[in-house]
Coordinates of all heavy atoms in Angstrom, one line a residue:
M1 N 114.2 -85.4 -95.4 CA 115.6 -85.6 -95.1 C 116.4 -85.3 -96.4 O 116.2 -85.9 -97.4 CB 115.8 -87.1 -94.7 CG 117.2 -87.4 -94.3 SD 117.1 -89.0 -93.6 CE 118.7 -89.0 -92.9
T2 N 117.3 -84.4 -96.3 CA 118.0 -83.9 -97.4 C 119.5 -84.2 -97.3 O 120.1 -84.1 -96.2 CB 117.9 -82.4 -97.6 OG1 116.5 -82.1 -97.7 CG2 118.6 -81.9 -98.9
D3 N 120.2 -84.8 -98.3 CA 121.6 -85.0 -98.3 C 122.2 -84.2 -99.4 O 121.6 -83.4 -100.0 CB 121.9 -86.5 -98.4 CG 121.3 -87.2 -99.6 OD1 120.7 -86.5 -100.4 OD2 121.5 -88.4 -99.8
A4 N 123.5 -84.5 -99.7 CA 124.2 -83.8 -100.8 C 123.6 -84.0 -102.1 O 123.7 -83.1 -103.0 CB 125.7 -84.2 -100.8
V5 N 123.0 -85.1 -102.4 CA 122.5 -85.4 -103.7 C 121.1 -84.8 -103.8 O 120.6 -84.4 -104.9 CB 122.5 -86.9 -104.0 CG1 121.9 -87.2 -105.3 CG2 123.9 -87.4 -103.9
G6 N 120.3 -84.9 -102.8 CA 118.9 -84.4 -102.8 C 118.1 -85.2 -101.8 O 118.7 -85.8 -100.9
S7 N 116.9 -85.2 -102.0 CA 116.0 -86.0 -101.0 C 115.4 -87.1 -101.7 O 115.1 -87.1 -102.9 CB 114.9 -85.0 -100.5 OG 114.0 -85.7 -99.8
I8 N 115.2 -88.2 -100.9 CA 114.5 -89.3 -101.4 C 113.0 -89.0 -101.6 O 112.4 -89.5 -102.6 CB 114.7 -90.5 -100.5 CG1 116.1 -90.9 -100.4 CG2 113.8 -91.7 -100.9 CD1 116.4 -92.0 -99.3
D9 N 112.5 -88.2 -100.7 CA 111.1 -87.9 -100.8 C 110.7 -86.9 -101.8 O 109.6 -86.9 -102.3 CB 110.6 -87.4 -99.4 CG 110.8 -88.4 -98.3 OD1 110.7 -89.6 -98.6 OD2 111.0 -88.0 -97.2
M10 N 111.6 -86.0 -102.2 CA 111.3 -85.0 -103.2 C 112.1 -85.3 -104.5 O 113.3 -85.4 -104.5 CB 111.7 -83.6 -102.7 CG 111.0 -83.3 -101.4 SD 111.0 -81.5 -101.0 CE 110.5 -80.8 -102.4
P11 N 111.4 -85.3 -105.6 CA 112.1 -85.6 -106.9 C 112.9 -84.4 -107.3 O 112.7 -83.3 -106.9 CB 110.9 -85.9 -107.9 CG 109.8 -85.2 -107.3 CD 110.0 -85.2 -105.8
D12 N 113.8 -84.6 -108.2 CA 114.7 -83.6 -108.8 C 113.8 -82.7 -109.7 O 112.7 -83.0 -110.1 CB 115.8 -84.1 -109.7 CG 116.8 -84.9 -108.8 OD1 116.9 -84.7 -107.6 OD2 117.5 -85.8 -109.4
A13 N 114.4 -81.5 -110.0 CA 113.6 -80.5 -110.8 C 113.3 -81.0 -112.2 O 112.2 -80.8 -112.7 CB 114.4 -79.2 -110.9
E14 N 114.2 -81.8 -112.8 CA 114.0 -82.3 -114.1 C 112.9 -83.4 -114.1 O 112.3 -83.6 -115.1 CB 115.3 -82.8 -114.7 CG 115.8 -84.0 -114.0 CD 117.2 -84.4 -114.5 OE1 117.8 -83.6 -115.2 OE2 117.6 -85.5 -114.2
D15 N 112.7 -84.1 -113.0 CA 111.7 -85.1 -112.9 C 110.3 -84.5 -112.7 O 109.3 -85.1 -112.9 CB 112.0 -86.0 -111.7 CG 113.2 -86.9 -112.0 OD1 113.6 -87.1 -113.1 OD2 113.8 -87.3 -111.0
E16 N 110.2 -83.2 -112.3 CA 108.9 -82.6 -112.0 C 108.3 -82.0 -113.3 O 107.2 -81.6 -113.3 CB 109.1 -81.4 -111.1 CG 109.5 -81.9 -109.7 CD 109.8 -80.7 -108.7 OE1 109.6 -79.6 -109.2 OE2 110.1 -81.0 -107.6
A17 N 109.0 -82.0 -114.5 CA 108.5 -81.5 -115.7 C 107.3 -82.3 -116.1 O 107.3 -83.5 -116.1 CB 109.5 -81.5 -116.8
P18 N 106.2 -81.6 -116.5 CA 105.0 -82.4 -116.9 C 105.3 -83.1 -118.3 O 106.2 -82.7 -119.0 CB 104.0 -81.3 -117.1 CG 104.7 -80.0 -117.2 CD 106.0 -80.2 -116.5
D19 N 104.5 -84.1 -118.6 CA 104.6 -84.9 -119.7 C 104.5 -84.1 -121.0 O 105.1 -84.5 -122.0 CB 103.7 -86.1 -119.8 CG 104.0 -87.1 -118.6 OD1 105.2 -87.1 -118.3 OD2 103.1 -87.8 -118.2
S20 N 103.7 -83.0 -121.0 CA 103.5 -82.3 -122.2 C 104.8 -81.5 -122.7 O 104.9 -81.2 -123.8 CB 102.4 -81.3 -122.0 OG 102.8 -80.3 -121.0
Q21 N 105.7 -81.3 -121.7 CA 107.0 -80.6 -122.1 C 108.1 -81.5 -122.6 O 109.0 -81.1 -123.2 CB 107.5 -79.8 -120.9 CG 106.6 -78.6 -120.5 CD 107.2 -77.9 -119.3 OE1 108.2 -78.3 -118.8 NE2 106.6 -76.8 -119.0
K22 N 107.9 -82.8 -122.4 CA 108.9 -83.7 -122.8 C 108.8 -84.0 -124.3 O 107.7 -84.1 -124.8 CB 108.7 -85.1 -122.1 CG 109.1 -85.0 -120.6 CD 109.0 -86.4 -120.0 CE 109.3 -86.3 -118.5 NZ 109.1 -87.6 -117.9
K23 N 109.9 -84.0 -125.0 CA 109.9 -84.2 -126.4 C 110.1 -85.7 -126.7 O 110.9 -86.4 -126.1 CB 111.1 -83.5 -127.1 CG 111.0 -82.0 -127.0 CD 112.1 -81.3 -127.7 CE 112.1 -79.8 -127.6 NZ 113.2 -79.2 -128.3
T24 N 109.2 -86.2 -127.6 CA 109.4 -87.6 -127.9 C 110.2 -87.7 -129.2 O 110.0 -86.9 -130.1 CB 108.0 -88.2 -128.1 OG1 107.3 -87.5 -129.2 CG2 107.1 -88.2 -126.8
R25 N 111.0 -88.7 -129.2 CA 111.9 -88.8 -130.4 C 111.4 -89.9 -131.3 O 111.2 -91.1 -130.8 CB 113.3 -89.1 -129.9 CG 114.3 -89.2 -131.0 CD 115.7 -89.4 -130.4 NE 116.6 -89.6 -131.4 CZ 117.9 -89.8 -131.3 NH1 118.4 -89.8 -130.1 NH2 118.7 -89.9 -132.3
K26 N 111.1 -89.6 -132.5 CA 110.6 -90.7 -133.4 C 111.6 -90.9 -134.5 O 111.6 -90.1 -135.5 CB 109.2 -90.2 -134.0 CG 108.1 -90.1 -133.0 CD 106.8 -89.8 -133.6 CE 105.8 -89.7 -132.5 NZ 104.5 -89.3 -133.1
G27 N 112.5 -91.9 -134.3 CA 113.4 -92.2 -135.3 C 114.7 -91.4 -135.2 O 115.8 -92.0 -135.4
G28 N 114.7 -90.2 -135.0 CA 115.9 -89.4 -134.8 C 116.6 -89.2 -136.2 O 116.0 -89.3 -137.2
K29 N 117.9 -89.0 -136.2 CA 118.6 -88.7 -137.4 C 118.8 -89.9 -138.2 O 118.9 -89.9 -139.4 CB 120.0 -88.1 -137.0 CG 119.9 -86.7 -136.4 CD 121.3 -86.2 -136.1 CE 121.2 -84.8 -135.5 NZ 122.5 -84.3 -135.1
R30 N 118.9 -91.1 -137.6 CA 119.2 -92.3 -138.4 C 118.0 -92.7 -139.3 O 118.2 -93.2 -140.4 CB 119.4 -93.5 -137.4 CG 120.7 -93.5 -136.8 CD 120.9 -94.8 -136.1 NE 121.9 -94.7 -135.0 CZ 122.2 -95.6 -134.3 NH1 121.7 -96.8 -134.4 NH2 123.1 -95.5 -133.3
A31 N 116.8 -92.4 -138.9 CA 115.7 -92.7 -139.7 C 115.6 -92.0 -141.0 O 115.0 -92.4 -142.0 CB 114.4 -92.5 -138.9
K32 N 116.3 -90.8 -141.1 CA 116.2 -90.0 -142.3 C 117.2 -90.4 -143.3 O 117.2 -89.9 -144.4 CB 116.4 -88.5 -141.8 CG 115.4 -88.0 -140.9 CD 115.7 -86.6 -140.5 CE 114.6 -86.1 -139.5 NZ 114.9 -84.8 -138.9
K33 N 118.2 -91.2 -142.9 CA 119.3 -91.6 -143.8 C 119.1 -93.0 -144.3 O 118.6 -93.8 -143.5 CB 120.6 -91.4 -143.2 CG 121.0 -90.0 -142.8 CD 122.3 -89.9 -142.2 CE 122.7 -88.5 -141.9 NZ 124.0 -88.4 -141.2
G34 N 119.5 -93.3 -145.5 CA 119.5 -94.6 -146.0 C 120.6 -95.5 -145.4 O 121.6 -94.9 -144.8
P35 N 120.6 -96.8 -145.6 CA 121.6 -97.6 -145.1 C 123.0 -97.4 -145.7 O 124.0 -97.5 -145.0 CB 121.1 -99.0 -145.4 CG 120.1 -98.9 -146.5 CD 119.6 -97.5 -146.3
L36 N 123.1 -97.0 -146.9 CA 124.4 -96.7 -147.5 C 125.0 -95.4 -147.0 O 126.2 -95.3 -146.7 CB 124.3 -96.6 -149.0 CG 124.0 -97.9 -149.7 CD1 123.9 -97.7 -151.3 CD2 125.1 -98.9 -149.4
K37 N 124.2 -94.4 -146.7 CA 124.7 -93.2 -146.1 C 125.1 -93.4 -144.7 O 126.1 -92.8 -144.2 CB 123.6 -92.1 -146.1 CG 123.4 -91.5 -147.5 CD 122.4 -90.4 -147.5 CE 122.3 -89.8 -148.9 NZ 121.4 -88.6 -149.0
R38 N 124.4 -94.3 -144.0 CA 124.8 -94.6 -142.6 C 126.1 -95.3 -142.6 O 127.0 -95.1 -141.7 CB 123.7 -95.4 -141.9 CG 122.6 -94.5 -141.4 CD 121.6 -95.3 -140.6 NE 120.9 -96.3 -141.4 CZ 120.2 -97.3 -141.0 NH1 120.1 -97.5 -139.7 NH2 119.7 -98.1 -141.9
L39 N 126.3 -96.2 -143.6 CA 127.6 -97.0 -143.7 C 128.7 -96.0 -144.0 O 129.8 -96.1 -143.5 CB 127.4 -98.1 -144.7 CG 128.6 -99.1 -144.8 CD1 128.7 -99.8 -143.5 CD2 128.3 -100.0 -146.0
A40 N 128.5 -95.1 -144.9 CA 129.5 -94.1 -145.3 C 129.9 -93.3 -144.1 O 131.1 -93.0 -143.9 CB 129.0 -93.3 -146.5
L41 N 128.9 -92.8 -143.3 CA 129.1 -92.0 -142.1 C 130.0 -92.8 -141.1 O 130.9 -92.3 -140.5 CB 127.8 -91.6 -141.5 CG 127.9 -90.9 -140.2 CD1 128.7 -89.6 -140.3 CD2 126.6 -90.7 -139.6
F42 N 129.6 -94.1 -141.0 CA 130.4 -95.0 -140.1 C 131.9 -95.1 -140.5 O 132.7 -94.9 -139.6 CB 129.7 -96.4 -140.1 CG 130.4 -97.4 -139.2 CD1 130.4 -97.3 -137.9 CD2 131.1 -98.4 -139.8 CE1 131.1 -98.2 -137.1 CE2 131.8 -99.4 -139.0 CZ 131.8 -99.3 -137.7
Y43 N 132.2 -95.3 -141.7 CA 133.5 -95.3 -142.2 C 134.3 -94.0 -142.1 O 135.4 -94.0 -141.8 CB 133.6 -95.9 -143.6 CG 133.4 -97.4 -143.6 CD1 132.3 -98.0 -144.3 CD2 134.3 -98.2 -142.9 CE1 132.1 -99.3 -144.3 CE2 134.1 -99.6 -142.9 CZ 133.0 -100.2 -143.6 OH 132.8 -101.5 -143.6
R44 N 133.5 -92.9 -142.3 CA 134.2 -91.6 -142.1 C 134.5 -91.4 -140.7 O 135.6 -90.8 -140.4 CB 133.2 -90.5 -142.6 CG 133.2 -90.3 -144.1 CD 132.6 -88.9 -144.5 NE 131.3 -88.8 -143.9 CZ 130.1 -89.1 -144.5 NH1 130.1 -89.5 -145.7 NH2 129.0 -88.9 -143.9
Q45 N 133.7 -91.8 -139.8 CA 134.0 -91.7 -138.3 C 135.1 -92.6 -137.9 O 136.0 -92.2 -137.1 CB 132.7 -92.0 -137.5 CG 131.7 -91.0 -137.6 CD 130.4 -91.4 -136.9 OE1 130.2 -92.6 -136.6 NE2 129.5 -90.5 -136.7
I46 N 135.3 -93.7 -138.5 CA 136.4 -94.6 -138.3 C 137.7 -93.9 -138.7 O 138.7 -93.9 -137.9 CB 136.3 -96.0 -139.0 CG1 135.2 -96.8 -138.3 CG2 137.6 -96.7 -139.0 CD1 134.9 -98.1 -139.1
V47 N 137.7 -93.4 -139.9 CA 138.9 -92.7 -140.4 C 139.3 -91.5 -139.5 O 140.4 -91.2 -139.2 CB 138.7 -92.3 -141.8 CG1 139.9 -91.3 -142.3 CG2 138.6 -93.5 -142.7
A48 N 138.3 -90.7 -139.1 CA 138.5 -89.6 -138.2 C 139.1 -90.0 -136.8 O 140.0 -89.4 -136.3 CB 137.2 -88.8 -137.9
E49 N 138.6 -91.2 -136.3 CA 139.1 -91.6 -135.0 C 140.6 -92.1 -135.2 O 141.4 -92.0 -134.4 CB 138.3 -92.7 -134.5 CG 137.0 -92.2 -133.9 CD 137.1 -91.3 -132.7 OE1 138.1 -91.5 -131.9 OE2 136.4 -90.3 -132.6
L50 N 140.9 -92.8 -136.3 CA 142.2 -93.3 -136.6 C 143.2 -92.2 -136.7 O 144.4 -92.3 -136.4 CB 142.3 -94.2 -137.8 CG 141.7 -95.6 -137.6 CD1 141.6 -96.4 -138.9 CD2 142.5 -96.4 -136.5
R51 N 142.8 -91.0 -137.2 CA 143.7 -89.9 -137.3 C 144.1 -89.3 -136.0 O 145.1 -88.7 -135.8 CB 143.0 -88.8 -138.1 CG 143.0 -89.1 -139.6 CD 142.5 -87.9 -140.4 NE 142.4 -88.3 -141.8 CZ 141.4 -88.0 -142.6 NH1 140.4 -87.3 -142.2 NH2 141.4 -88.4 -143.9
K52 N 143.2 -89.6 -134.9 CA 143.5 -89.1 -133.6 C 144.5 -90.0 -132.8 O 145.0 -89.6 -131.8 CB 142.2 -89.0 -132.8 CG 141.2 -88.0 -133.3 CD 139.9 -88.1 -132.4 CE 138.8 -87.3 -133.0 NZ 137.6 -87.4 -132.2
V53 N 144.7 -91.2 -133.3 CA 145.5 -92.1 -132.6 C 147.0 -91.7 -132.7 O 147.5 -91.2 -133.7 CB 145.4 -93.5 -133.3 CG1 146.4 -94.5 -132.7 CG2 144.0 -94.1 -133.1
V54 N 147.7 -91.8 -131.5 CA 149.1 -91.5 -131.5 C 149.8 -92.8 -131.7 O 149.8 -93.7 -130.9 CB 149.5 -90.9 -130.1 CG1 150.9 -90.6 -130.0 CG2 148.6 -89.6 -129.8
W55 N 150.4 -92.9 -132.9 CA 151.1 -94.2 -133.3 C 152.5 -94.2 -132.7 O 153.2 -93.1 -132.6 CB 151.1 -94.3 -134.8 CG 149.8 -94.3 -135.4 CD1 149.1 -93.3 -136.0 CD2 148.9 -95.5 -135.5 NE1 147.8 -93.8 -136.4 CE2 147.7 -95.1 -136.1 CE3 149.1 -96.8 -135.1 CZ2 146.7 -96.0 -136.3 CZ3 148.0 -97.7 -135.3 CH2 146.8 -97.3 -135.9
P56 N 152.9 -95.4 -132.2 CA 154.3 -95.4 -131.6 C 155.3 -95.3 -132.7 O 155.1 -95.7 -133.9 CB 154.3 -96.8 -131.0 CG 153.3 -97.6 -131.7 CD 152.2 -96.6 -132.2
T57 N 156.5 -94.8 -132.3 CA 157.6 -94.8 -133.3 C 158.2 -96.2 -133.4 O 157.8 -97.1 -132.7 CB 158.7 -93.8 -132.7 OG1 159.2 -94.3 -131.5 CG2 158.2 -92.4 -132.5
R58 N 159.1 -96.3 -134.4 CA 159.7 -97.6 -134.6 C 160.5 -98.1 -133.4 O 160.5 -99.3 -133.0 CB 160.7 -97.6 -135.8 CG 161.2 -98.9 -136.2 CD 162.0 -98.9 -137.5 NE 161.2 -98.5 -138.6 CZ 160.6 -99.4 -139.4 NH1 160.7 -100.7 -139.0 NH2 159.9 -99.1 -140.4
N59 N 161.2 -97.2 -132.7 CA 161.9 -97.5 -131.4 C 161.0 -98.0 -130.4 O 161.2 -99.0 -129.7 CB 162.7 -96.3 -130.9 CG 164.1 -96.4 -131.2 OD1 164.6 -97.4 -131.5 ND2 164.8 -95.3 -130.9
Q60 N 159.9 -97.2 -130.1 CA 158.9 -97.6 -129.1 C 158.3 -99.0 -129.5 O 158.1 -99.8 -128.6 CB 157.8 -96.6 -129.0 CG 158.2 -95.3 -128.4 CD 157.2 -94.2 -128.5 OE1 156.3 -94.3 -129.4 NE2 157.2 -93.3 -127.6
L61 N 158.0 -99.2 -130.7 CA 157.3 -100.4 -131.1 C 158.3 -101.6 -130.9 O 157.8 -102.7 -130.4 CB 156.9 -100.4 -132.6 CG 156.1 -101.5 -133.1 CD1 154.8 -101.6 -132.4 CD2 155.8 -101.3 -134.6
S62 N 159.5 -101.5 -131.2 CA 160.5 -102.6 -131.0 C 160.7 -102.8 -129.5 O 160.8 -104.0 -129.1 CB 161.8 -102.3 -131.7 OG 162.4 -101.2 -131.2
S63 N 160.7 -101.8 -128.7 CA 160.9 -102.0 -127.3 C 159.7 -102.6 -126.6 O 159.8 -103.5 -125.8 CB 161.3 -100.7 -126.5 OG 160.2 -99.8 -126.6
Y64 N 158.5 -102.2 -127.1 CA 157.3 -102.8 -126.6 C 157.2 -104.3 -127.0 O 156.8 -105.2 -126.2 CB 156.0 -102.1 -127.1 CG 155.9 -100.7 -126.6 CD1 155.1 -99.8 -127.4 CD2 156.5 -100.2 -125.5 CE1 154.9 -98.5 -127.0 CE2 156.4 -98.9 -125.1 CZ 155.6 -98.0 -125.8 OH 155.4 -96.7 -125.4
T65 N 157.6 -104.6 -128.2 CA 157.5 -106.0 -128.7 C 158.5 -106.8 -128.0 O 158.2 -108.0 -127.6 CB 157.8 -106.0 -130.2 OG1 156.9 -105.1 -130.9 CG2 157.7 -107.4 -130.8
T66 N 159.7 -106.3 -127.7 CA 160.7 -107.1 -127.0 C 160.2 -107.4 -125.5 O 160.3 -108.5 -125.0 CB 162.0 -106.3 -126.9 OG1 162.4 -106.0 -128.3 CG2 163.1 -107.0 -126.2
A67 N 159.6 -106.4 -124.9 CA 159.1 -106.6 -123.6 C 158.0 -107.6 -123.5 O 157.9 -108.5 -122.6 CB 158.5 -105.2 -123.0
V68 N 157.1 -107.6 -124.5 CA 156.0 -108.6 -124.6 C 156.6 -110.0 -124.8 O 156.2 -111.0 -124.1 CB 155.0 -108.2 -125.6 CG1 154.1 -109.4 -125.9 CG2 154.2 -107.0 -125.3
I69 N 157.6 -110.1 -125.7 CA 158.1 -111.4 -126.0 C 158.9 -112.0 -124.7 O 158.7 -113.2 -124.4 CB 159.1 -111.4 -127.2 CG1 158.2 -111.2 -128.5 CG2 159.9 -112.6 -127.3 CD1 159.0 -110.9 -129.7
I70 N 159.6 -111.1 -124.1 CA 160.3 -111.6 -122.8 C 159.3 -112.0 -121.7 O 159.4 -113.0 -121.1 CB 161.2 -110.5 -122.3 CG1 162.4 -110.3 -123.3 CG2 161.7 -110.8 -120.9 CD1 163.3 -109.1 -122.9
F71 N 158.2 -111.2 -121.6 CA 157.2 -111.6 -120.6 C 156.5 -112.9 -120.9 O 156.3 -113.8 -120.1 CB 156.1 -110.5 -120.6 CG 155.0 -110.8 -119.7 CD1 155.1 -110.6 -118.3 CD2 153.8 -111.2 -120.2 CE1 154.1 -110.9 -117.4 CE2 152.7 -111.5 -119.3 CZ 152.9 -111.4 -117.9
V72 N 156.2 -113.1 -122.2 CA 155.6 -114.4 -122.6 C 156.5 -115.6 -122.4 O 156.1 -116.6 -121.9 CB 155.2 -114.3 -124.1 CG1 154.8 -115.7 -124.6 CG2 154.0 -113.3 -124.2
V73 N 157.8 -115.4 -122.7 CA 158.8 -116.5 -122.5 C 158.9 -116.8 -121.0 O 158.9 -118.0 -120.6 CB 160.2 -116.1 -123.1 CG1 161.3 -117.1 -122.6 CG2 160.1 -116.1 -124.6
V74 N 158.9 -115.8 -120.1 CA 159.0 -116.0 -118.7 C 157.8 -116.7 -118.2 O 157.8 -117.6 -117.4 CB 159.2 -114.6 -117.9 CG1 159.0 -114.8 -116.5 CG2 160.6 -114.1 -118.2
M75 N 156.6 -116.3 -118.7 CA 155.3 -117.0 -118.2 C 155.3 -118.4 -118.7 O 154.8 -119.3 -118.0 CB 154.1 -116.2 -118.7 CG 154.0 -114.8 -118.1 SD 154.0 -114.8 -116.3 CE 152.5 -115.7 -116.0
I76 N 155.7 -118.7 -119.9 CA 155.8 -120.1 -120.4 C 156.7 -120.9 -119.5 O 156.4 -122.0 -119.2 CB 156.3 -120.1 -121.9 CG1 155.2 -119.6 -122.8 CG2 156.7 -121.5 -122.3 CD1 155.6 -119.4 -124.2
G77 N 157.8 -120.3 -119.1 CA 158.7 -121.0 -118.2 C 158.1 -121.3 -116.9 O 158.2 -122.4 -116.4
L78 N 157.4 -120.3 -116.3 CA 156.8 -120.5 -115.0 C 155.7 -121.6 -115.1 O 155.6 -122.5 -114.2 CB 156.2 -119.2 -114.5 CG 157.1 -118.2 -113.9 CD1 156.4 -116.9 -113.6 CD2 157.7 -118.8 -112.6
I79 N 154.9 -121.5 -116.1 CA 153.8 -122.5 -116.2 C 154.3 -123.9 -116.5 O 153.8 -124.9 -116.0 CB 152.8 -122.1 -117.3 CG1 152.1 -120.8 -116.8 CG2 151.8 -123.2 -117.6 CD1 151.2 -120.2 -117.8
T80 N 155.4 -124.0 -117.2 CA 156.1 -125.3 -117.5 C 156.6 -125.9 -116.2 O 156.4 -127.1 -115.9 CB 157.2 -125.1 -118.5 OG1 156.7 -124.6 -119.7 CG2 157.9 -126.5 -118.8
L81 N 157.2 -125.1 -115.4 CA 157.8 -125.5 -114.1 C 156.7 -126.0 -113.2 O 156.7 -127.0 -112.5 CB 158.6 -124.5 -113.4 CG 160.0 -124.2 -114.0 CD1 160.7 -123.0 -113.4 CD2 160.9 -125.5 -113.9
I82 N 155.6 -125.2 -113.1 CA 154.4 -125.6 -112.2 C 153.8 -126.9 -112.7 O 153.5 -127.8 -111.9 CB 153.4 -124.4 -112.2 CG1 154.0 -123.2 -111.4 CG2 152.1 -124.9 -111.6 CD1 153.2 -122.0 -111.5
D83 N 153.6 -127.0 -114.0 CA 153.0 -128.2 -114.6 C 153.9 -129.4 -114.3 O 153.4 -130.5 -113.9 CB 152.8 -128.0 -116.1 CG 152.2 -129.2 -116.7 OD1 151.1 -129.7 -116.2 OD2 152.6 -129.7 -117.8
Y84 N 155.2 -129.3 -114.5 CA 156.2 -130.4 -114.3 C 156.1 -130.8 -112.8 O 156.0 -131.9 -112.5 CB 157.6 -129.9 -114.6 CG 158.6 -130.9 -114.5 CD1 158.7 -132.0 -115.4 CD2 159.6 -130.9 -113.4 CE1 159.7 -133.0 -115.2 CE2 160.5 -131.8 -113.3 CZ 160.6 -132.9 -114.2 OH 161.6 -133.9 -114.0
G85 N 156.1 -129.8 -111.9 CA 156.0 -130.1 -110.5 C 154.7 -130.7 -110.1 O 154.7 -131.7 -109.3
L86 N 153.6 -130.3 -110.6 CA 152.3 -130.9 -110.2 C 152.2 -132.3 -110.8 O 151.5 -133.1 -110.2 CB 151.2 -130.0 -110.7 CG 150.9 -128.7 -110.0 CD1 149.8 -127.8 -110.6 CD2 150.6 -128.9 -108.5
S87 N 152.8 -132.5 -112.0 CA 152.7 -133.9 -112.5 C 153.5 -134.8 -111.7 O 153.1 -136.0 -111.4 CB 153.2 -133.9 -114.0 OG 154.6 -133.7 -114.0
H88 N 154.6 -134.4 -111.1 CA 155.4 -135.3 -110.2 C 154.7 -135.5 -108.9 O 154.7 -136.6 -108.4 CB 156.8 -134.7 -110.0 CG 157.8 -135.0 -111.1 ND1 158.6 -136.2 -111.1 CD2 158.1 -134.4 -112.3 CE1 159.3 -136.2 -112.2 NE2 159.0 -135.2 -112.9
V89 N 154.0 -134.5 -108.4 CA 153.2 -134.6 -107.2 C 152.1 -135.6 -107.4 O 151.8 -136.5 -106.6 CB 152.7 -133.2 -106.7 CG1 151.7 -133.4 -105.6 CG2 153.8 -132.4 -106.2
A90 N 151.4 -135.5 -108.6 CA 150.3 -136.4 -108.9 C 150.8 -137.9 -109.0 O 150.2 -138.8 -108.6 CB 149.6 -136.0 -110.2
K91 N 152.0 -138.0 -109.6 CA 152.6 -139.4 -109.8 C 152.9 -139.9 -108.4 O 152.8 -141.1 -108.1 CB 153.8 -139.4 -110.6 CG 153.5 -139.3 -112.1 CD 154.8 -139.3 -112.9 CE 154.5 -139.0 -114.4 NZ 155.7 -138.9 -115.2
Y92 N 153.4 -139.1 -107.5 CA 153.8 -139.5 -106.2 C 152.6 -139.9 -105.4 O 152.5 -140.9 -104.7 CB 154.6 -138.4 -105.5 CG 155.0 -138.8 -104.0 CD1 156.0 -139.7 -103.8 CD2 154.3 -138.2 -103.0 CE1 156.4 -140.0 -102.5 CE2 154.7 -138.5 -101.7 CZ 155.7 -139.5 -101.4 OH 156.0 -139.8 -100.2
V93 N 151.5 -139.1 -105.4 CA 150.3 -139.3 -104.7 C 149.5 -140.5 -105.2 O 149.1 -141.4 -104.4 CB 149.4 -138.1 -104.6 CG1 148.0 -138.4 -104.0 CG2 150.1 -136.9 -103.9
F94 N 149.3 -140.6 -106.5 CA 148.5 -141.6 -107.1 C 149.3 -142.8 -107.6 O 148.7 -143.8 -108.1 CB 147.6 -141.0 -108.2 CG 146.7 -139.9 -107.7 CD1 146.9 -138.6 -108.1 CD2 145.6 -140.3 -106.9 CE1 146.0 -137.6 -107.6 CE2 144.8 -139.3 -106.4 CZ 145.0 -138.0 -106.8
G95 N 150.5 -142.8 -107.5 CA 151.3 -144.0 -107.8 C 151.8 -144.2 -109.1 O 152.1 -145.2 -109.6

């Protein structure tokens, strides 16, 4: 029975490769480098990724900050009202 992906009964072509053709990896590139070189590579990759970041302008940053502060104040107000209401309900129910 064949579907779009393949058959359950028949393995994919890559699964049919004999074991002798498969390459075994012993250590890879990391095993050849010392811990300080790996640490230096890690920091170089961090710097390279930070260069790719699109940083917001001062206008965007201030508008995002304002939006977050307003959202937090609104959520604090909602939770305060809910807490106040539930405390009064609990006092009414339990006396």
Side-chain angles (χ1 to χ4, degrees):
M1 181 172 193
T2 305
D3 58 0
V5 178
S7 173
I8 296 173
D9 299 329
M10 299 197 52
D12 294 337
E14 64 188 19
D15 292 338
E16 292 176 1
D19 291 334
S20 63
Q21 291 180 355
K22 292 182 181 178
K23 294 181 181 179
T24 58
R25 185 174 175 182
K26 295 184 180 178
K29 293 181 181 178
R30 285 192 202 175
K32 297 176 186 174
K33 295 182 181 178
L36 291 178
K37 287 187 178 184
R38 284 187 288 165
L39 189 62
L41 174 65
F42 177 69
Y43 284 116
R44 279 196 307 266
Q45 289 173 345
I46 289 174
V47 170
E49 287 297 321
L50 285 175
R51 285 187 183 135
K52 295 178 188 178
V53 173
V54 179
W55 297 99
T57 63
R58 186 174 294 271
N59 252 352
Q60 290 172 332
L61 188 62
S62 63
S63 65
Y64 296 158
T65 304
T66 304
V68 167
I69 290 172
I70 290 172
F71 176 77
V72 168
V73 167
V74 168
M75 293 307 293
I76 288 172
L78 283 173
I79 291 174
T80 302
L81 287 175
I82 291 170
D83 184 49
Y84 182 74
L86 288 176
S87 70
H88 278 269
V89 169
K91 284 181 186 175
Y92 178 76
V93 170
F94 297 111

